[in-house]
């Protein structure tokens, strides 16, 4: 319907073209309006999650109605019926309602939708960040792995060069470096020399002074330091213009020496030498040194330092071990040589001694034989002196061999049981000839509590006493010599550093030899015991001697766990030699000179042994009786042969008959006794006591059936020995 | 008390040594001293007293034999000397023994003068020895009375 309007513009008649365009536009709008919800529904159905369905429905309704409106509008261009107008109106009303509702709803919804968008953005950022971090961690883990592997490689070898080479190689690989170099300090410590590089096979001998500021900077800190690629240490290849040099990092590598390690004191930083490790990133890569890479480099540098120090220590110890082995070998050779030398010397000495002893033995043997022949008393004395002197000389010869064996420590004491009292007397008997000639009386005092049978080295003890007493005789021109032997107790005066502890079955024998002879200057006393040292003045030097005696004696005394010293008040005041030795106390009273256990024990002990003594001389008879009584025998005496025959019985084990008186009758008694006792075991043993022991006497005795001959006067020891030998062997012709 | 004993012992020792030094005694006397023990405390004294008795008897008989120059029984003298020599060597009377040796030589050549001289010497020697030993035994007694022990002295 058209109405008249009051517009300014003239009324416009309905144009056909415009109408047409409006018609088409409405149509398309309607189509679009219908298709949009369809699209929405389609895509919403497609997506799983869409929280605002209700809104969608509303929106859809709104759009549908809008479309419907526009659609219906199509019919209004031409005249239309009232129904159409009604529908149109309804549609429009509905549309209005829905659109208002939608508008109202959208007020609530749009902020929500917007915030979703922001959250999405936020999450996207976060995801990107996490990705980045993830990448970082992975990188770090990988470098960590590389460090471990590198460390393993470095530490798996103890060779210095391998360590350094491996370090460079691995670092190069891990960090993808272009170049890696190691500068070591020279011997002088004033320069750094290029020692190892990664890429260059044979690095040029290239040195830089150590005092460069860049080097000081790097050495000053334990961190890896970025340095300029143009610094002298980093310029390893000739620089060409077109390269943009990659970043360079340098780190110090401490070189630890063995001397840096004290036991409780870790090396101080100030005194260290460093090497310089330079790492270059590839040029033109625009890569930069990351923190974690720097850390990796620092760790590696430390590990290298440790590995190098280990290698150094190992080198030192291997060198020391080699040195020791060499020394061992040398020592072994030296020892073997020394042993050979000692053996050679001992052999030589033994041979020499043998050569010396053979003539000596000849002298002794022939003198003994001479002794057996008929001699005047002077001749006998001379022969005895010869014998005793040659025995002495034989002993002295043993000294030389002994001394050398003593010094090796190869000498050992030969322990045995012997009679101490006898030993002293024998020594005195040996010295007697010389003392008699020099008119020096020697007295021997044996303490009453001195044990008779002791355990020790008889031969060596005799040597010691002989030496000391011999010295006393040698160096005395006048006066007397006294030899005292006693058991020393712990409170006796002894040198302050020597304590005597008598133990159980041992005791300490102290022997003092005092002479009134030349004396010794107290200052010379310490020298006395040194071998070959002589301290006498020229006046007394004529006494001779090799100076070995005291040295040997001292060694023997020491072997016997004792001590020896000399006291003298000065020259001309005589001197006293004192020594203590440890001896064992023998339990059984074994007779000296009998090496084997007697077959019949009763022979050792003569208690109750019945014997008969026949002697015309009353004094002599009494003496012999006293002798035998002292030995424990039961003695009967007769003064004539007839009486002897009368008294003698099978109870008498031995008959001693004096045959001194000239004449043959004495020997008859022997024959008569043989006749009386036909059975051998009943007959007593017959021993002749005679004043001379020449061959004819012996022969005569033997021919008359005597079992033994004894030279008068008989000493106690002689009688004892003779009796025991006799009773054991039932014959004795050696006791002279 | 101890010093008295020590002094006596020292005296005894020195005296004994001097006897040996002067040749009155020899080793046999030492042997004799060895035979003396608790069982036979006076052994030595007994032996020497017997010896001296023997000496005087033998010297008397020998003197009688040598008295008349024309009727000297050298055999008897010889036997006497032999006895004396044996006895003296048994006790260790050295000087006496030595005189006996010369005496025997004189006897062998039947030298009466020599024998007489020897006889005189023997007489002198044994008496001298007797006195000396008497002194020694007195010293011994003194030591024992003072409670000391007689020292064992072995002499060359």
């Amino acid at each position: 319907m058209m109405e008249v309007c009051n517009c300014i513009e003239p009324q416009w008649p309905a144009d056909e073209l415009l109408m047409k365009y409006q018609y088409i536009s409405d149509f398309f709008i309607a189509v679009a309006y219908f298709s949009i919800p369809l699209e929405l529904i389609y895509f919403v159905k497609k997506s799983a999650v869409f929280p605002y369905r209700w809104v969608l429905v509303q929106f859809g309704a709104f759009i549908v109605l809008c479309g419907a409106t526009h659609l219906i509008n199509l019919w209004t261009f031409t005249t239309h019926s009232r129904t159409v107008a009604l529908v149109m109106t309804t549609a429009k009303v509905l549309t209005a309602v829905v659109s208002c509702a939608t508008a109202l709803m959208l007020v609530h919804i749009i902020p929500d939708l917007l915030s979703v968008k922001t959250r999405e953005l936020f999450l996207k950022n976060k995801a990107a960040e996490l990705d980045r971090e993830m990448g970082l961690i992975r990188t770090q883990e990988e470098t960590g792995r590389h460090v471990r592997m590198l460390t393993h490689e470095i530490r798996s070898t103890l060779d210095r060069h391998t360590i350094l080479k491996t370090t460079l190689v691995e670092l190069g690989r891990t960090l993808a470096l272009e170049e890696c170099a190691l500068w070591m300090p020279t011997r002088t410590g004033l320069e750094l020399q290029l020692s190892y590089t990664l890429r260059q096979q044979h690095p040029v001998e290239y040195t830089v002074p150590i005092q460069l500021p860049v080097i000081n900077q790097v050495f000053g800190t334990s961190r890896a330091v970025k340095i300029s690629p143009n610094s002298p240490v980093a310029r390893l290849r000739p620089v060409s213009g077109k390269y943009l040099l990659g970043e360079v990092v340098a780190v110090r590598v401490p070189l630890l020496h063995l001397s840096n390690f004290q036991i409780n004191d870790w090396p101080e930083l100030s005194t260290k030498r460093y090497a310089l490790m330079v790492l270059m990133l590839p040029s033109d890569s625009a890569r930069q040194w990351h923190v974690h890479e720097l850390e990796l480099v620092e760790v590696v540098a430390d590990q290298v330092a440790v590995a190098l120090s280990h290698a150094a220590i190992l080198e030192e110890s291997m060198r020391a071990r080699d040195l020791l082995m060499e020394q061992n070998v040398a020592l072994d050779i030296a020892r073997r040589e020394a042993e050979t030398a000692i053996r050679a010397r001992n052999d030589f000495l033994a041979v020499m001694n043998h050569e010396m002893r053979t003539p000596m033995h000849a002298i002794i043997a022939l003198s003994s034989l001479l002794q057996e022949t008929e001699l005047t008393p002077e001749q006998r004395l001379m022969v005895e002196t010869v014998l005793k002197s040659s025995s002495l000389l034989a002993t002295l010869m043993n000294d030389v061999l002994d001394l050398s064996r003593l010094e090796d420590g190869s000498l050992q004491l030969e322990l045995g049981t012997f009679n101490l009292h006898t030993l002293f007397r024998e020594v005195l008997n040996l010295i007697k000839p010389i003392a008699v000639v020099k008119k020096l009386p020697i007295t021997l005092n044996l303490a009453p509590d001195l044990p008779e049978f002791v355990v020790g080295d008889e031969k060596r003890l005799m040597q010691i006493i002989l030496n000391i007493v011999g010295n006393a005789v040698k160096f005395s021109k006048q006066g007397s010599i006294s030899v005292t032997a006693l058991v020393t107790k712990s409170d006796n005066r002894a040198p302050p550093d020597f304590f005597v502890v008598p133990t159980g079955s041992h005791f300490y024998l102290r022997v003092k030899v005092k002479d009134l002879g030349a004396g010794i200057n107290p200052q010379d006393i310490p020298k006395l015991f040194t071998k070959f040292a002589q301290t006498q003045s020229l006046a007394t030097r004529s006494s001779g001697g090799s100076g070995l005696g005291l040295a040997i004696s001292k060694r023997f005394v020491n072997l016997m766990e004792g001590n020896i010293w000399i006291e003298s008040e000065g020259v001309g005041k005589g001197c006293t030699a004192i020594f203590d030795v440890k001896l064992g106390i023998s339990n059984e009273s074994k007779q000296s000179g009998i090496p084997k256990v007697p077959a019949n024990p009763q022979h050792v002990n003569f208690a109750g042994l019945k014997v008969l003594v026949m002697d015309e001389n009353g004094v002599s008879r009494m003496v012999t009786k006293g002798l035998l009584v002292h030995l424990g025998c039961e003695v009967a005496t007769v003064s004539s042969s007839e009486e002897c025959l009368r008294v003698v019985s099978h109870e008498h084990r031995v008959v001693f008959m004096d045959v001194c008186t000239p004449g043959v009758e004495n020997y008859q008694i022997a024959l008569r006794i043989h006749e009386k006792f036909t059975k051998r075991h009943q007959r007593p043993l017959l021993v002749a006591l005679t004043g001379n022991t020449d061959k004819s006497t012996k022969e005569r005795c033997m021919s008359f059936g005597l079992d033994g001959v004894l030279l008068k006067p008989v000493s106690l020891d002689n009688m004892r020995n003779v009796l025991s030998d006799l009773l054991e062997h039932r014959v004795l012709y050696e006791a002279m | 008390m101890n010093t008295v004993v020590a002094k006596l012992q020292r005296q005894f020792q020195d005296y004994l040594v001097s006897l040996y030094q002067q040749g009155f005694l020899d080793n046999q006397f030492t042997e004799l001293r060895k035979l003396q023990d608790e069982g036979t405390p006076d052994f030595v004294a007994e032996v020497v007293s017997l010896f001296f008795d023997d000496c005087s008897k033998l010297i008397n008989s020998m003197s009688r034999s040598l008295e008349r120059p024309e009727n000297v029984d050298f055999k008897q003298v010889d036997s006497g000397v032999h006895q004396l020599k044996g006895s003296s060597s048994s006790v260790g009377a050295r000087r006496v023994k030595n005189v006996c040796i010369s005496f025997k030589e004189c006897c062998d050549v039947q030298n009466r003068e020599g024998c007489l001289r020897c006889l005189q010497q023997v007489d002198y020697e044994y008496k001298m020895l007797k006195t000396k030993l008497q002194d020694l035994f007195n010293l011994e007694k003194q030591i024992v009375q003072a409670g000391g022990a007689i020292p064992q002295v072995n002499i060359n």
Side-chain angles (χ1 to χ4, degrees), chain A residues 32-46:
Chain A
Y33 274 14
F34 280 127
S35 58
I36 287 177
L38 286 173
E39 285 173 17
L40 272 177
I41 290 169
Y42 174 70
F43 283 116
V44 164
K45 272 227 161 67
K46 267 250 172 146

Side-chain angles (χ1 to χ4, degrees), chain A residues 155 157-160 163 254-263 265-267 303-322:
Chain A
R155 300 283 284 271
T157 170
L158 287 167
D159 174 44
R160 180 178 231 178
I163 289 173
L255 296 173
L256 302 169
H257 291 281
L258 201 59
S259 55
N260 290 119
F261 289 103
Q262 309 300 318
I263 304 295
D265 177 26
W266 289 105
Q303 289 297 321
V304 165
V306 171
L308 281 176
S309 63
H310 282 185
I313 292 174
L314 183 82
E315 247 178 74
E316 286 283 333
S317 77
M318 303 262 324
R319 215 163 347 119
R321 192 196 66 182
D322 286 336

Side-chain angles (χ1 to χ4, degrees), chain A residues 76-335:
Chain A
T76 56
F77 287 112
T78 55
T79 29
H80 46 276
S81 62
R82 192 176 151 92
T83 344
V84 174
L86 197 72
V87 168
M88 185 73 202
T89 316
T90 327
K92 278 209 176 147
V93 168
L94 276 174
T95 311
V97 166
V98 171
S99 38
C100 287
T102 312
L104 284 170
M105 191 81 30
L106 277 177
V107 172
H108 295 292
I109 303 236
I110 289 183
D112 266 352
L113 281 174
L114 279 178
S115 77
V116 163
K117 243 336 188 210
T118 51
R119 225 174 286 153
E120 192 189 318
L121 209 64
F122 177 69
L123 279 170
K124 214 183 268 167
N125 280 343
K126 255 296 186 259
E129 211 177 287
L130 276 171
D131 267 336
R132 265 203 306 277
E133 251 167 53
M134 182 72 145
L136 215 67
I137 288 174
R138 218 175 279 138
T139 327
Q140 273 182 347
E141 194 207 326
E142 218 168 278
T143 53
R145 212 164 6 103
H146 278 132
V147 168
R148 274 194 298 281
M149 189 238 336
L150 221 146
T151 311
H152 175 77
E153 288 289 328
I154 292 173
R155 300 283 284 271
S156 70
T157 170
L158 287 167
D159 174 44
R160 180 178 231 178
H161 296 287
T162 319
I163 289 173
L164 293 168
K165 210 70 186 133
T166 315
T167 312
L168 297 182
V169 164
E170 292 300 324
L171 266 180
R173 213 155 37 108
T174 311
L175 301 172
L177 301 172
E178 169 172 345
E179 182 60 269
C180 200
L182 192 71
W183 300 77
M184 303 279 279
T186 57
R187 261 182 229 291
T188 58
L190 297 173
E191 294 181 320
L192 285 181
Q193 188 180 28
L194 182 62
S195 310
Y196 303 93
T197 55
L198 183 57
R199 307 283 174 209
Q200 292 175 322
Q201 288 302 90
H202 300 288
V204 174
E205 292 292 314
Y206 205 9
T207 59
V208 293
I210 209 170
Q211 291 301 327
L212 289 179
V214 62
I215 296 177
N216 283 339
Q217 184 197 5
V218 176
F219 281 176
T221 168
S222 65
R223 320 283 323 265
V225 175
K226 290 207 192 108
I227 61 174
S228 153
N230 291 323
S231 61
V233 290
R235 256 186 291 144
L236 300 174
R237 295 202 206 148
V239 177
S240 336
K242 43 187 189 149
Y243 285 117
L244 178 64
L245 298 166
E247 286 195 346
V248 180
V249 144
V251 70
R252 73 176 187 187
V253 180
L255 296 173
L256 302 169
H257 291 281
L258 201 59
S259 55
N260 290 119
F261 289 103
Q262 309 300 318
I263 304 295
N264 291 317
D265 177 26
W266 289 105
E268 295 302 317
L269 295 171
S270 54
T271 58
K272 280 210 253 181
R273 295 198 319 157
Y274 300 106
L276 188 73
M277 195 151 60
V278 176
L279 309 149
M280 283 177 261
L281 287 178
S283 337
D284 283 352
S285 67
R287 253 181 68 190
Q288 289 208 322
W289 282 100
H290 300 285
V291 170
H292 69 272
E293 287 171 341
L294 293 179
E295 280 171 6
L296 171 74
V297 166
E298 285 157 25
V299 165
V300 167
D302 274 338
Q303 289 297 321
V304 165
V306 171
L308 281 176
S309 63
H310 282 185
I313 292 174
L314 183 82
E315 247 178 74
E316 286 283 333
S317 77
M318 303 262 324
R319 215 163 347 119
R321 192 196 66 182
D322 286 336
L323 204 67
L324 271 173
M325 270 180 56
E326 264 176 49
Q327 281 180 344
N328 264 357
V329 168
L331 276 172
D332 204 38
I333 292 175
R335 180 179 59 88

Side-chain angles (χ1 to χ4, degrees), chain B residues 76-132:
Chain B
Q76 205 254 357
V77 174
D78 188 61
S79 127
V81 168
H82 187 89
Q83 287 270 14
L84 204 53
K85 184 164 167 247
S87 308
S88 59
S89 56
S90 293
V91 298
R94 189 157 159 270
R95 282 201 188 180
V96 176
K97 185 184 76 179
N98 288 342
V99 174
C100 287
I101 293 171
S102 340
F103 201 154
K104 184 141 172 45
E105 280 165 19
C106 293
C107 211
D108 287 339
V109 300
Q110 302 201 338
N111 177 357
R112 181 173 169 268
E113 297 295 323
C115 286
L116 279 171
R117 252 178 297 142
C118 289
L119 189 68
Q120 250 186 330
Q121 220 178 333
V122 163
D123 191 50
Y124 169 78
E125 286 295 342
Y126 107 85
K127 283 184 176 143
M128 171 74 91
L129 184 63
K130 189 168 175 183
T131 326
K132 296 261 179 203

Side-chain angles (χ1 to χ4, degrees), chain A residues 425 441 444 617 630 713 715-716, chain B residues 21 28 31 37 83 87 154:
Chain A
R425 278 182 226 123
L444 172 66
N617 188 317
H630 189 80
S715 72
L716 185 60
Chain B
Q21 269 187 304
Q28 182 56 21
E31 292 290 325
D37 54 26
Q83 287 270 14
S87 308
N154 272 17

Side-chain angles (χ1 to χ4, degrees), chain A residues 425 428 432 436 441-445 617-620 622-623 626-627 630 660-662 713-717, chain B residues 13 17 21 27-28 31-32 34-35 37 43 46-47 50-51 54 82-83 87 90-91 152-156:
Chain A
R425 278 182 226 123
L428 252 64
K432 205 187 338 179
V436 159
I442 308 183
T443 57
L444 172 66
N445 297 337
N617 188 317
V619 175
S620 169
M622 190 172 180
V623 171
L627 196 64
H630 189 80
C660 280
T661 48
V714 190
S715 72
L716 185 60
D717 296 324
Chain B
Q13 198 166 315
V17 168
Q21 269 187 304
N27 231 354
Q28 182 56 21
E31 292 290 325
L32 272 191
K34 273 198 235 176
L35 300 177
D37 54 26
F43 178 71
E46 283 171 7
V47 172
L50 185 65
F51 167 69
D54 228 23
H82 187 89
Q83 287 270 14
S87 308
S90 293
V91 298
Q152 242 182 317
V153 181
N154 272 17
I155 299 167
N156 61 318

